[in-house]
Amino acid sequence: MPLPVVYNVESVRARWRTSVVAVLGIAGAVGVFVAMLALAKGFRAALVESGSAMNAIVRRAGATSEIDSAVTLTQQKVIEDALEVAHGPSGPLVSHEAVVIAAVPLRETGTDANVQVRGVTEKARLVHENVALREGRWPEPGLFELVVGKNAAASYRGVGIGDTLKLGGAGWKVVGVMDAGDTAFDSEIWCDLSLLNPVYHRPQGVAQSVVARLRSPEALEPFRQRLVGDPRMKVQVDRETDYYAKASQMMTTLVNVLGTLVAAVMGVGAVFAALNTMYSAVAERRREVATIKALGFGGSSIVLSFTLEALVISLLGGLLGCALVLPINGLTTSTMNFQTFSHLAFAFQVTPALLGIGLVFALLMGIAGGVPPALRAARMPVTVALRDL
Amino acid sequence: MKYLPLLLGNFRRHRVRVALTLGSFAVALFLFCVLIAIRGAFNQGVEAAGADRILVVNKVSLIQPLPLAYRDRVARVPGVKDLTFAHWFGGVYQDEKNFFPQFAVDHTTWRQMYTEFRVPEEQWRALAADKAGAVVGKVTAERFGWKVGDRIPIKGAIYPGDWEFNLVGIYEGTRPQDDLSQFWFRWDYWAEKVEPDIKGYVGWYVVRVDKGHDAVTVVKTIDSAFANSPFETRTQSEAAFMASFVEQMGNIGFLMTAIGAVVFFTLILVTGNTMAMSVRERTGELAVLKTVGFRDGAVLALVLVESCLLALLGGALGIALAKAFTMSGDPTGGLFPVFFVPGWAMGLGVAVTLAVGLLAGLLPALGARRLRVIDALRTL
Amino acid sequence: MVKIGSNGASESLIVVRDLAKTYRRGSEELHVLQGINLDVDRGDFVAFMGPSGSGKTTLLNLLGGLDVPSAGTVRADGEEISRLSGARLVRWRARHVGFIFQMYNLIPVLSAFRNVELPLLLTPLGKAERRRHVENALALVGLADRAKHRPRELSGGQQQRVAIARAIVADPTFLLCDEPTGDLDRRSADEILELLERLVDEHGKTILMVTHDPRAAERAHATLHLDKGVLAA
């Protein structure tokens, strides 16, 4: 029959001053761990969810991003004519796009950030279903007008509705703000493709990428085979979600590596603190343990009891850590994605699943910090301790 | 140090606690040093920037080129001592994950602009003799096991095709913050192989400002020379240019550092507290020393020496581990141009450790001092 | 009746034959107990006295199964415990022995009730049954109204009474007391000794007690002297 849990709970309460140290240590480790996971998740979400599983993005074969890609008029026609492409009331749902990097001053520091300016046609918002208008209106085709993503509107200077932004020597009027559901497009500025090309000395009609909405997600393979098999088309076809996943790889790796490093180090430190607390508890309670053993409780009861005590402490630490990290949910931050060379804003995403992982991490630390002292307690000689100090 | 056996005896008696305390300090200092190394990696561009170098890029967009024709006009601007140019190549070596920066450079003027890099004389001559030659930094060479004489195939991404280069040289740096990952080849080779409508362009110009000339004036002169032309320029110091990148990395860098600081302080707090705890728990032992005849001051000194010794040993271990970790290379596989622990960071780490050791020993030790022997023995 | 020096079989509750305990310190050998022969009947109240270092506590530890003898046997209630080991010895001890220590050894974070309940957690008794036993034990020692109090809220004498309640709650075969009054003032000591006497006279308990206190020894039925590991009347 194991020792009553109330023994452990009351023991932790009685030694709260030393227990607090371990609780803090574990709370810190859990907090940092969950924060890092939330950062990585937010980053991935912003990029990966920019794509849709129903969309395919077509770029020049060998291009590593959009900027070094080009899709000619002939190739665009082949894509539009493909059977796998879905149709809307205005024709095939195919969006021709080109991206440039423009220098726009950051609101906070005034220094320039590299912003992705995307030249699109009216089909863009049909193909990218997650993009909606938040304020103002969409740009009129043929006019030097811009619509700004909501994160871009918050991050940069001079991009409010009514402002005029100088891009490529021409003045463009901001007429609207779009909401793309916290994806990459929220950090972009969109304009008319047919006006962007000449401003940037590019031949008319050439797009950098073509995004096509397919009739079904399974249509990707036949679509790809059709295009790649065509001798006029030297292209690569990716599911839009896969493209964005790859585009975020480097940064995700960075965040993961750094996050894991920090969390692991913190975890080790927390385990040390827990070990110290528990060893000191065991030492302090030598006579208590001896008495319990004299009463007839076996070694396994003792081990279980002390391990449970460590778990009580680590659970408290885990809950505290989760509580501390919860407020950062939704906090936006930004970075530069090296692969696309552009500024990207995203938000921390603290989900219940991540909190759960954090708690499991806490319990693992509790076990690591509780078992060795518990084993020592179980092995302490009884007779010496009963009479001794 | 006649008290040494007493100290060592104390350590032996509380082996596990000593090991844990050492470990805690080591962990905290390891993190401290590695975070500073990470921050240094983010700021590398700024810290390595040449004080007298300015960059001329296309004003409209970073990715737009500038005409080669601008070269002579820029060279004629008063205050311009040296001039070179480069073009970003952005190819792929075997796998997109094997990223390293590749530049097509003006090999006749590149070397004297970037004096912090060292290339053996005969290797640079080999570059001048071989149009398809290339010079790569030591870090990238070691990363892929390249040797001088190897043929390096790179798949062009921006400029499509299969490009091949002959590795004629490997460059090294002179300061810890130098970026040794770059790959340089000849701009004229690039110009030969690309489409006619882009061959007359460069990515950016690099200018060294003559001593005695005001850099700001030179910047203004260059930009006004090309204002209102189809290729307007934006000129700024190399440091400012790099800084703007760092600013865009923005909050990530700040976040990492902030989180790191929080972690570090928590660890230190925890460790200090643990040490204080152990001193308090040993009041009995300390009282016994007093009954034997140790004076109050001696007991205090003993406690302090112990705690400081533990702190220093643990801290030194952590710093050593950090140094070993950074020397084992870039943990992100190519994203960090440099990764090292600067000397000042190590010194600061030692100072902080010592301070914690002192405080953690001092506060409870003073408390123990005031304790009367009889009371202390009573609790036994 | 208590007998020492007997040899051969016996019907007594506790039968000790040729008990010896030796400790090894480096190359030295310490003979703490030598050739102890002892018979204790049910209902006996025995006091062991002797100078410090005479082995009194060691004898108690061996009788209680807290330690294993170097030679000789200990039989309690017909069972030979000197060769029992590990888990079986622990189980035997829980069932047959109640301990009372000089320093009470109560769990400071638990209430009197929960302290007394501890030994019952090793039995298959349900919650309600345990409650009954605990209340009976506390009533017997006169502390029924202090069940919810923690040790630090009780006087020395009261704490020892809780310890006694804990020792008897599982109805063990015999009680072992190691200087039960050593830490108490005269008045409390007397109260405790009266309680022990009552346990023997009214409830038929068997008690073996190690003590320095001659007034405690007076209360016992018999006093045995232990000197340099040898038992004498």
Side-chain angles (χ1 to χ4, degrees):
Chain A
M1 173 79 204
L3 288 162
V5 178
V6 63
Y7 170 53
N8 301 116
V9 174
E10 289 299 320
S11 297
V12 171
R13 257 206 345 179
R15 301 183 79 246
W16 68 268
R17 253 181 275 267
T18 42
S19 306
V20 131
V21 168
V23 169
L24 276 182
I26 293 188
V30 169
V32 165
F33 185 57
V34 175
M36 291 296 176
L37 287 179
L39 188 72
K41 193 165 207 306
F43 186 76
R44 262 189 80 83
L47 275 183
V48 174
E49 276 153 48
S50 306
S52 159
M54 291 279 281
N55 289 352
I57 180 169
V58 183
R59 298 170 295 145
R60 184 173 54 78
T64 56
S65 65
E66 288 181 83
I67 290 187
D68 52 358
S69 165
V71 181
T72 62
L73 272 171
T74 335
Q75 293 170 332
Q76 291 168 29
K77 192 83 180 52
V78 172
I79 295 169
E80 282 172 7
D81 289 340
L83 286 174
E84 294 83 5
V85 171
H87 280 247
S90 48
L93 291 175
V94 171
S95 171
H96 309 118
E97 305 178 2
V99 183
V100 297
I101 304 289
V104 179
L106 284 167
R107 191 184 286 268
E108 253 180 42
T109 58
T111 53
D112 284 345
N114 294 330
V115 185
Q116 218 156 241
V117 176
R118 187 176 295 269
V120 297
T121 64
E122 292 197 290
K123 296 264 184 72
R125 41 189 200 267
L126 296 173
V127 174
H128 299 290
E129 270 190 340
N130 56 357
V131 176
L133 190 65
R134 194 189 207 193
E135 251 184 84
R137 56 173 177 82
W138 295 106
E140 278 291 319
L143 292 185
F144 283 87
E145 295 182 339
L146 303 172
V147 63
V148 175
K150 66 175 197 278
N151 278 333
S155 309
Y156 311 124
R157 285 191 199 166
V159 292
I161 296 187
D163 284 339
T164 302
L165 190 66
K166 247 186 145 256
L167 290 178
W172 304 66
K173 184 146 160 259
V174 179
V175 298
V177 176
M178 61 184 176
D179 184 340
D182 290 317
T183 62
F185 300 135
D186 277 322
S187 302
E188 290 186 352
I189 298 177
W190 286 10
C191 65
D192 186 333
L193 176 64
S194 60
L195 294 175
L196 189 69
N197 276 335
V199 164
Y200 280 83
H201 311 291
R202 292 224 216 124
Q204 255 312 4
V206 174
Q208 284 178 332
S209 64
V210 175
V211 183
R213 171 164 291 259
L214 304 170
R215 289 188 195 279
S216 73
E218 294 76 35
L220 180 73
E221 246 339 283
F223 180 61
R224 176 185 284 136
Q225 294 301 333
R226 175 190 297 275
L227 295 187
V228 166
D230 189 321
R232 298 169 290 177
M233 314 279 284
K234 288 212 193 52
V235 294
Q236 51 179 319
V237 180
D238 294 295
R239 199 182 295 279
E240 208 187 7
T241 40
D242 292 338
Y243 167 69
Y244 278 109
K246 268 184 66 184
S248 66
Q249 225 174 31
M250 257 186 146
M251 280 306 294
T252 311
T253 309
L254 176 68
V255 173
N256 278 338
V257 166
L258 291 183
T260 310
L261 178 71
V262 174
V265 167
M266 186 70 193
V268 170
V271 169
F272 280 170
L275 279 172
N276 240 321
T277 301
M278 291 310 298
Y279 271 122
S280 129
V282 167
E284 204 180 273
R285 283 142 67 178
R286 280 173 71 194
R287 211 142 32 89
E288 242 173 76
V289 174
T291 306
I292 292 172
K293 286 212 244 173
L295 289 178
F297 287 88
S300 51
S301 297
I302 309 277
V303 171
L304 213 65
S305 181
F306 274 92
T307 307
L308 200 68
E309 201 163 310
L311 286 177
V312 167
I313 291 178
S314 64
L315 188 66
L316 283 174
L319 290 171
L320 179 64
C322 286
L324 286 175
V325 88
L326 213 48
I328 71 167
N329 187 27
L331 188 72
T332 49
T333 182
S334 60
T335 184
M336 190 171 84
N337 186 354
F338 281 118
Q339 281 171 277
T340 60
F341 226 41
S342 58
H343 197 230
L344 178 72
F346 59 99
F348 279 91
Q349 280 199 357
V350 181
T351 64
L354 289 183
L355 291 175
I357 296 178
L359 284 178
V360 169
F361 184 43
L363 291 178
L364 286 175
M365 285 191 281
I367 292 181
V371 168
L375 289 175
R376 169 184 281 197
R379 278 188 260 121
M380 281 193 321
V382 179
T383 52
V384 181
L386 275 179
R387 256 264 168 134
D388 220 3
L389 331 145
Chain B
M1 279 286 352
K2 55 184 169 173
Y3 295 129
L4 200 60
L6 186 61
L7 258 168
L8 290 179
N10 280 340
F11 283 172
R12 243 198 310 270
R13 233 166 338 142
H14 304 278
R15 244 171 310 194
V16 175
R17 169 161 281 163
V18 164
L20 288 176
T21 310
L22 276 179
S24 295
F25 272 114
V27 161
L29 264 296
F30 174 80
L31 187 68
F32 179 72
C33 292
V34 169
L35 280 173
I36 292 191
I38 291 174
R39 207 179 131 276
F42 278 131
N43 289 341
Q44 183 269 345
V46 177
E47 284 166 25
D52 53 358
R53 290 198 293 253
I54 57 180
L55 299 182
V56 184
V57 300
N58 188 315
K59 181 174 180 189
V60 161
S61 175
L62 186 59
I63 55 172
Q64 298 284 89
L66 291 172
L68 180 62
Y70 280 16
R71 177 176 49 177
D72 294 334
R73 291 170 65 185
V74 173
R76 280 203 298 268
V77 169
V80 170
K81 180 152 179 261
D82 297 309
L83 172 67
T84 187
F85 58 83
H87 208 110
W88 178 267
F89 185 65
V92 173
Y93 174 68
Q94 292 176 346
D95 191 312
E96 270 178 48
K97 283 206 294 271
N98 296 337
F99 168 78
F100 55 93
Q102 303 137 29
F103 304 131
V105 305
D106 177 23
H107 67 284
T108 58
T109 53
W110 187 256
R111 200 168 168 224
Q112 70 217 54
M113 179 64 70
Y114 288 98
T115 49
E116 63 264 37
F117 298 131
R118 293 250 187 277
V119 186
E121 190 60 47
E122 69 272 12
Q123 290 183 355
W124 201 255
R125 274 204 294 266
L127 181 66
D130 182 355
K131 216 168 191 188
V135 172
V136 74
K138 187 153 170 253
V139 165
T140 302
E142 279 172 8
R143 183 176 172 198
F144 301 117
W146 291 343
K147 303 248 177 327
V148 171
D150 283 353
R151 205 152 166 77
I152 315 289
I154 295 189
K155 239 177 137 57
I158 309 178
Y159 308 103
D162 291 310
W163 296 65
E164 288 208 341
F165 303 95
N166 302 318
L167 194 64
V168 300
I170 295 179
Y171 77 81
E172 297 194 8
T174 50
R175 310 166 298 176
Q177 65 261 44
D178 286 334
D179 178 5
L180 302 181
S181 67
Q182 300 172 15
F183 182 91
W184 309 328
F185 64 96
R186 284 169 57 158
W187 181 88
D188 53 351
Y189 180 60
W190 172 86
E192 213 179 68
K193 293 193 65 173
V194 293
E195 308 281 312
D197 54 344
I198 46 177
K199 60 165 80 245
Y201 291 92
V202 307
W204 63 89
Y205 289 97
V206 187
V207 166
R208 172 173 278 120
V209 178
D210 211 347
K211 280 200 235 305
H213 276 84
D214 178 27
V216 178
T217 320
V218 176
V219 164
K220 283 212 181 91
T221 316
I222 295 178
D223 281 344
S224 52
F226 302 106
N228 301 318
S229 74
F231 294 91
E232 293 191 310
T233 59
R234 180 126 198 275
T235 309
Q236 53 187 310
S237 72
E238 199 179 30
F241 182 77
M242 295 299 178
S244 75
F245 273 100
V246 174
E247 229 123 55
Q248 288 179 80
M249 280 308 290
N251 302 8
I252 288 276
F254 171 71
L255 258 163
M256 294 280 163
T257 326
I259 288 176
V262 164
V263 170
F264 178 66
F265 280 116
T266 310
L267 279 175
I268 288 294
L269 182 76
V270 163
T271 311
N273 222 306
T274 308
M275 281 182 66
M277 210 164 78
S278 77
V279 173
R280 260 182 257 125
E281 284 169 18
R282 286 168 53 207
T283 20
E285 277 177 42
L286 298 175
V288 170
L289 286 177
K290 282 202 228 184
T291 61
V292 164
F294 274 73
R295 280 167 36 245
D296 278 355
V299 172
L300 180 65
L302 185 66
V303 169
L304 282 179
V305 167
E306 250 189 50
S307 61
C308 289
L309 195 63
L310 271 183
L312 277 175
L313 283 175
L317 178 64
I319 293 175
L321 285 173
K323 204 116 181 69
F325 180 66
T326 55
M327 293 210 285
S328 73
D330 178 1
T332 61
L335 208 54
F336 283 169
V338 294
F339 192 51
F340 68 99
V341 184
W344 62 264
M346 296 195 276
L348 184 60
V350 169
V352 170
T353 310
L354 202 55
V356 172
L358 236 115
L359 268 175
L362 193 66
L363 297 174
L366 284 178
R369 197 168 179 224
R370 278 184 261 115
L371 197 67
R372 280 172 39 215
V373 174
I374 303 179
D375 293 331
L377 285 175
R378 255 284 194 84
T379 64
L380 293 183
Chain C
M1 241 215 39
V2 180
K3 288 203 297 283
I4 56 170
S6 281
N7 239 315
S10 165
E11 297 281 309
S12 301
L13 181 65
I14 299 174
V15 179
V16 179
R17 294 285 176 264
D18 286 321
L19 193 63
K21 181 72 184 178
T22 305
Y23 286 112
R24 207 154 274 117
R25 266 243 175 95
S27 54
E28 275 183 40
E29 275 193 352
L30 228 68
H31 300 285
V32 182
L33 290 176
Q34 314 184 58
I36 307 284
N37 287 296
L38 178 67
D39 294 62
V40 178
D41 284 327
R42 204 178 290 274
D44 275 343
F45 188 174
V46 190
F48 294 92
M49 294 189 77
S52 73
S54 54
K56 308 192 296 296
T57 303
T58 309
L59 178 61
L60 228 59
N61 287 342
L62 288 172
L63 292 178
L66 285 177
D67 202 354
V68 176
S70 308
T73 61
V74 177
R75 285 184 90 83
D77 204 7
E79 207 175 338
E80 216 227 271
I81 63 161
S82 28
R83 298 290 172 256
L84 280 183
S85 62
R88 299 185 61 198
L89 186 60
V90 169
R91 269 202 299 274
W92 174 88
R93 181 167 72 237
R95 170 73 193 86
H96 291 276
V97 188
F99 285 96
I100 296 160
F101 306 97
Q102 175 178 353
M103 300 297 289
Y104 331 131
N105 285 350
L106 296 176
I107 310 283
V109 299
L110 294 176
S111 65
F113 183 96
R114 287 211 181 265
N115 262 296
V116 175
E117 193 193 20
L118 272 180
L120 295 178
L121 294 174
L122 293 163
T123 66
L125 290 176
K127 193 163 175 193
E129 284 234 54
R130 294 202 299 269
R131 173 176 222 98
R132 239 183 352 106
H133 279 82
V134 172
E135 283 169 354
N136 284 345
L138 281 173
L140 205 148
V141 302
L143 283 177
D145 55 339
R146 303 287 205 168
K148 291 264 182 344
H149 288 191
R150 297 240 185 132
R152 67 164 180 271
E153 294 165 318
L154 303 172
S155 72
Q158 288 170 327
Q159 287 185 57
Q160 193 61 299
R161 281 195 270 164
V162 173
I164 292 175
R166 179 181 68 189
I168 59 172
V169 76
D171 197 21
T173 310
F174 56 95
L175 299 176
L176 295 177
C177 312
D178 196 347
E179 313 263 11
T181 58
D183 217 54
L184 298 171
D185 61 85
R186 193 68 259 167
R187 176 113 159 268
S188 307
D190 282 340
E191 281 176 9
I192 295 299
L193 291 169
E194 271 206 37
L195 182 52
L196 290 177
E197 263 191 307
R198 257 198 310 130
L199 287 174
V200 174
D201 295 338
E202 291 172 27
H203 300 271
K205 296 286 181 211
T206 312
I207 299 184
L208 285 79
M209 176 176 70
V210 160
T211 183
H212 270 134
D213 184 0
R215 305 220 343 216
E218 275 170 26
R219 307 263 192 160
H221 295 171
T223 303
L224 299 176
H225 293 272
L226 200 56
D227 195 356
K228 291 202 188 57
V230 178
L231 203 55

